[in-house]
Amino acid sequence: MNVRLSLVFIAFAALVAAAWIALAPPEETVVTLDGGSTVEEASQSRAARADAPVAAASPGRATHAAPAPVVAKQVVPRNALFAEFVHARSYKALYDRVSQVENQTPEAKIVLYEILRECATLSGPGTWRPTRPPVPKRDDFVAGISTTDPLRDKRIASYDDFTVNRCGGLEGLTATRAELNKLLQEAAAAGSPQARAMTIEQELWQSRRQSGDNRATLTDAQIEGLKQSLTTRDPEAIRVAGRVLATSWNDYALRVGPNQLPVEPRPFMNAWLVLACEYGASCGADTPRMLQACALQGHCDASNYPDYLMQYASTPHDSTLVWQYQALLRNALETGDWSQLTVVRGLPAPSNRAWFVAGPR
């Protein structure tokens, strides 16, 4: 009976994980470009593509299989400190460093914000979303994996890496939500593109909470603010801005391409995530999102997030759209021409709204 209950719980946890991965955004290994090109060669290739047609088929009309998105070879993450945070098995040493005033660059403020958000006991008004989903206890998890499963050892190791207590040594840490908001605002004011995009995202969620009917509108000014953060090509700003632009806000819809076809939220969101990988986000097999997918779903064969997406998490239709959207968005980032994306107002709210929230990277 205990074994049966364990199996049921593991199955439930896997479903929760699948939903979390689907709804939450990601992130260091080497992500290879076709032919083994370097980052510099990838940049030259992107510049050449900027003058070429965005896609052979109109986005939104996926009619044939497309190649996997082109991803630059990632040697050194662009945001080295944030990448250290993503990969850390313990936040204590990193917290001690970034909490010192003399070390608080805009990126350090973002890392401090994330550590406090995950480890501190928070007080003050407002709600806070966890960045990781619930997972089964280790004994239950191990009992739920067949001894003949060829991925058993790898899944258990991934579970241990995913669930390690990264907040060890920070017990008793406290903060107010106002203090966290101040950190984010200071980082944005100091020029962090990621913080600017996150500030807009928080404004929207705050507006949604205060509306009383879960309605919030992404304004033209906020869209321009996101575009400004994207001009830096900062990978974390790309990830956050994509999450905001892919969400179904009230009185907001996106049309894409010369035929003004409706954007499909799921592949559109994934295109932003893959693009963030291309521009230097941590997207390897040892990042939390990938560890979670291996442990709870047995999806262990992908070496990076774009590979995971193509192998496990996309239909052929979605894969084609990811490729098309990625090309369109890359062109917009490289040229500053956003004319292929049009915001439409005044349409009825979709019946199946897509909400994208921060999840394990």
Side-chain angles (χ1 to χ4, degrees), residues 239-308:
R239 194 174 57 80
V240 177
R243 189 165 71 224
V244 175
L245 292 169
T247 289
S248 300
W249 305 106
N250 188 56
D251 193 27
Y252 165 83
L254 278 179
R255 296 289 182 267
V256 63
N259 295 327
Q260 294 289 285
L261 298 172
V263 161
E264 296 192 25
R266 180 75 52 213
F268 189 63
M269 177 70 254
N270 282 327
W272 285 103
L273 297 181
V274 172
L275 199 63
C277 297
E278 179 178 341
Y279 281 89
S282 295
C283 295
D286 59 345
T287 49
R289 171 177 290 238
M290 299 288 287
L291 293 171
Q292 176 191 0
C294 178
L296 299 184
Q297 295 176 275
H299 295 170
C300 302
D301 290 336
S303 62
N304 54 67
Y305 182 70
D307 283 353
Y308 165 80

Side-chain angles (χ1 to χ4, degrees), residues 148-191:
T148 60
D149 187 337
L151 294 173
R152 177 182 170 85
D153 291 343
K154 191 169 185 178
R155 292 182 64 185
I156 293 173
S158 294
Y159 174 94
D160 290 338
D161 284 345
F162 180 67
T163 59
V164 68
N165 179 18
R166 291 169 171 79
C167 297
L170 296 176
E171 294 81 5
L173 191 62
T174 62
T176 66
R177 291 179 177 84
E179 289 171 339
L180 261 66
N181 290 336
K182 184 173 182 289
L183 272 175
L184 192 61
Q185 291 163 5
E186 288 175 349

Side-chain angles (χ1 to χ4, degrees), residues 30-81:
V30 172
V31 182
T32 58
L33 181 73
D34 292 345
S37 302
T38 63
V39 172
E40 289 74 16
E41 291 166 339
S43 298
Q44 294 170 5
S45 175
R46 286 197 301 268
R49 287 194 301 269
D51 296 326
V54 169
S58 297
R61 289 275 192 262
T63 58
H64 63 279
V70 177
V71 182
K73 182 178 180 181
Q74 180 182 329
V75 179
V76 179
R78 176 168 171 179
N79 296 347
L81 187 63

Side-chain angles (χ1 to χ4, degrees), residues 41-356:
E41 291 166 339
S43 298
Q44 294 170 5
S45 175
R46 286 197 301 268
R49 287 194 301 269
D51 296 326
V54 169
S58 297
R61 289 275 192 262
T63 58
H64 63 279
V70 177
V71 182
K73 182 178 180 181
Q74 180 182 329
V75 179
V76 179
R78 176 168 171 179
N79 296 347
L81 187 63
F82 196 84
E84 184 180 347
F85 162 74
V86 171
H87 291 279
R89 290 179 58 84
S90 171
Y91 295 145
K92 179 65 168 63
L94 189 56
Y95 171 81
D96 290 342
R97 192 178 351 140
V98 298
S99 61
Q100 300 300 314
V101 174
E102 62 271 18
N103 294 331
Q104 287 189 358
T105 62
E107 189 179 4
K109 286 180 181 290
I110 287 290
V111 171
L112 180 58
Y113 169 90
E114 294 284 2
I115 293 174
L116 290 173
R117 188 172 186 263
E118 189 158 336
C119 300
T121 299
L122 300 176
S123 59
T127 58
W128 213 254
R129 294 177 180 274
T131 59
R132 301 192 186 201
V135 295
K137 293 180 180 179
R138 191 179 190 280
D139 288 346
D140 293 336
F141 172 76
V142 172
I145 303 178
S146 170
T147 55
T148 60
D149 187 337
L151 294 173
R152 177 182 170 85
D153 291 343
K154 191 169 185 178
R155 292 182 64 185
I156 293 173
S158 294
Y159 174 94
D160 290 338
D161 284 345
F162 180 67
T163 59
V164 68
N165 179 18
R166 291 169 171 79
C167 297
L170 296 176
E171 294 81 5
L173 191 62
T174 62
T176 66
R177 291 179 177 84
E179 289 171 339
L180 261 66
N181 290 336
K182 184 173 182 289
L183 272 175
L184 192 61
Q185 291 163 5
E186 288 175 349
S192 166
Q194 177 185 356
R196 290 201 296 266
M198 291 172 67
T199 298
I200 292 171
E201 182 179 42
Q202 287 206 356
E203 289 173 355
L204 284 160
W205 286 110
Q206 180 69 14
S207 175
R208 183 172 180 256
R209 287 193 296 268
Q210 293 177 344
S211 69
D213 56 5
N214 286 332
R215 294 159 68 91
T217 299
L218 180 59
T219 67
D220 292 344
Q222 288 170 327
I223 292 171
E224 288 304 311
L226 292 174
K227 288 181 182 178
Q228 287 298 314
S229 69
L230 288 167
T231 61
T232 65
R233 304 182 184 93
D234 177 271
E236 290 301 318
I238 290 172
R239 194 174 57 80
V240 177
R243 189 165 71 224
V244 175
L245 292 169
T247 289
S248 300
W249 305 106
N250 188 56
D251 193 27
Y252 165 83
L254 278 179
R255 296 289 182 267
V256 63
N259 295 327
Q260 294 289 285
L261 298 172
V263 161
E264 296 192 25
R266 180 75 52 213
F268 189 63
M269 177 70 254
N270 282 327
W272 285 103
L273 297 181
V274 172
L275 199 63
C277 297
E278 179 178 341
Y279 281 89
S282 295
C283 295
D286 59 345
T287 49
R289 171 177 290 238
M290 299 288 287
L291 293 171
Q292 176 191 0
C294 178
L296 299 184
Q297 295 176 275
H299 295 170
C300 302
D301 290 336
S303 62
N304 54 67
Y305 182 70
D307 283 353
Y308 165 80
L309 199 60
M310 295 305 136
Q311 290 182 39
Y312 297 110
S314 294
T315 65
H317 171 81
D318 280 4
S319 295
T320 300
L321 286 181
V322 169
W323 172 64
Q324 293 173 354
Y325 290 155
Q326 183 194 1
L328 182 149
L329 295 171
R330 184 196 298 111
N331 186 74
L333 262 63
E334 294 293 336
T335 66
D337 180 6
W338 292 90
S339 61
Q340 293 294 302
L341 281 175
T342 304
V343 176
V344 180
R345 307 288 189 180
L347 298 179
S351 57
N352 54 338
R353 291 193 175 194
W355 303 103
F356 297 99

